[in-house]
Amino acid sequence: MPQPTQVDPRGLRVNAAITAVVLALVLAVPSEPVRTVLLGVQVVVFAIAVLVGLSASPWALVFTTFVRPRIGPPAELEDARPPRFAQLVGLVFTTVALVSLLAGATTVALVATTLALVAALLNAVVGLCLGCEMYLVLRRLAPAGTA
Amino acid sequence: MIGLVLLGIALVATAGVALLMRWKNGRFSSQPVEDARERLTAGQIGAPLGERATLVQFSSAFCSPCRATRVLLTDIAATAPGVETVEIDAESHLQLVRDLEVMRTPTVLVLDADGVVTTRASGLPRRDQVLAALDRAVPGGK
């Protein structure tokens, strides 16, 4: 079995923390243009993490450039697949938020942002991957024949 | 204004979920009543049952705590005679997952010598939680 890509778990926490700050600002700043730009930036960050890889995400680069040199190498690495899946879930929610905002449905946009913020905060604070928790529940819904 | 309200809700919800998960992870259920218990065979779990007990772990690809759980269970089984561990990939055993109502990975089932599911827990358990569950499944030692 090939070894799956590994990531530094502390980088994931920093990534989630920056994401949480960006999404919290989307909620806190009552300005349509600022919200649009912040959501747009986060959508791009999520998209890079999903399409290219976690280590290519701009927030991951913040970690490897500024944080990692100060705290040294990690004690252990983690499988990259769960967090990458979580970034996909984040991408879906922030994309819904951005599209809603552009369409003038501000409340829908802010609620979607709130859900993404809860997931990012849980990841940053207690290391819980909400997207991963949902994965099996969603997978179970697949028709019995496909198992 | 609504943005700040939602920000507050997000903070409260995060704290709530974090506390709930801390309470829930590795918490083994109390013993089901005798006739509500499920029984698994070696064929269903794809490996022979342990002589005294079997720890069955359901895992999936998108699961960070699964590896730590596997390491813990393997370590416990190595020191407890007659106890085996079996890891089942949830995605390729979806029917079993549905039958047993497994909702999260990791989920750990503790089977007695006859394959009867005596208790279960989801999330990464602590060593003492697994040992206590084993003790209840197999009276007379771990």
Side-chain angles (χ1 to χ4, degrees), chain B:
Chain B
M1 184 59 204
I2 181 174
L4 289 177
V5 172
L6 287 170
L7 183 57
I9 290 174
L11 294 175
V12 173
T14 302
V17 174
L19 289 174
L20 179 71
M21 285 299 157
R22 200 161 81 175
W23 174 82
K24 169 91 183 147
N25 284 344
R27 190 182 184 87
F28 282 90
S29 55
S30 51
Q31 295 238 0
V33 285
E34 203 84 28
D35 43 339
R37 291 185 188 180
E38 275 152 310
R39 192 174 164 219
L40 295 177
T41 63
Q44 279 173 297
I45 61 172
L49 293 170
E51 225 170 275
R52 295 169 58 236
T54 311
L55 300 169
V56 179
Q57 175 185 348
F58 283 89
S59 298
S60 65
F62 301 125
C63 168
S64 313
C66 284
R67 189 176 66 165
T69 305
R70 181 195 317 135
V71 170
L72 174 66
L73 297 188
T74 308
D75 188 55
I76 288 173
T79 53
V83 176
E84 297 292 331
T85 61
V86 179
E87 191 173 9
I88 296 179
D89 175 33
E91 287 170 75
S92 49
H93 297 82
L94 281 180
Q95 197 51 53
L96 192 58
V97 163
R98 291 193 194 93
D99 291 346
L100 292 167
E101 291 176 2
V102 173
M103 300 302 287
R104 299 172 69 201
T105 52
T107 286
V108 177
L109 312 179
V110 181
L111 312 187
D112 68 10
D114 297 322
V116 173
V117 181
T118 62
T119 182
R120 60 195 284 169
S122 66
L124 173 61
R126 292 190 314 269
R127 179 177 292 270
D128 61 292
Q129 289 176 312
V130 180
L131 291 178
L134 260 181
D135 227 10
R136 277 182 277 135
V138 196
K142 355 190 180 314

Side-chain angles (χ1 to χ4, degrees), chain A residues 91-113:
Chain A
L91 176 62
V92 171
F93 277 98
T94 46
T95 303
V96 168
L98 183 60
V99 170
S100 306
L101 196 63
L102 292 173
T106 308
T107 307
V108 176
L110 295 184
V111 170
T113 304

Side-chain angles (χ1 to χ4, degrees), chain A residues 1-103:
Chain A
M1 207 173 93
Q3 186 74 1
T5 312
Q6 303 275 297
V7 283
D8 187 336
R10 301 164 308 171
L12 299 174
R13 295 284 190 103
V14 171
N15 186 352
I18 301 174
T19 303
V21 169
V22 172
L23 295 176
L25 284 174
V26 171
L27 293 179
V29 181
S31 145
E32 210 86 333
V34 173
R35 283 176 167 163
T36 309
V37 169
L38 288 172
L39 272 176
V41 167
Q42 190 56 50
V43 166
V44 171
V45 169
F46 276 141
I48 293 173
V50 173
L51 299 174
V52 186
L54 286 168
S55 52
S57 146
W59 298 167
L61 296 179
V62 171
F63 172 75
T64 45
T65 313
F66 299 106
V67 184
R68 181 149 172 185
R70 283 156 222 263
I71 57 175
E76 54 170 8
L77 294 173
E78 235 180 73
D79 186 346
R81 288 172 300 174
R84 199 165 172 183
F85 175 73
Q87 299 279 297
L88 174 64
V89 177
L91 176 62
V92 171
F93 277 98
T94 46
T95 303
V96 168
L98 183 60
V99 170
S100 306
L101 196 63
L102 292 173

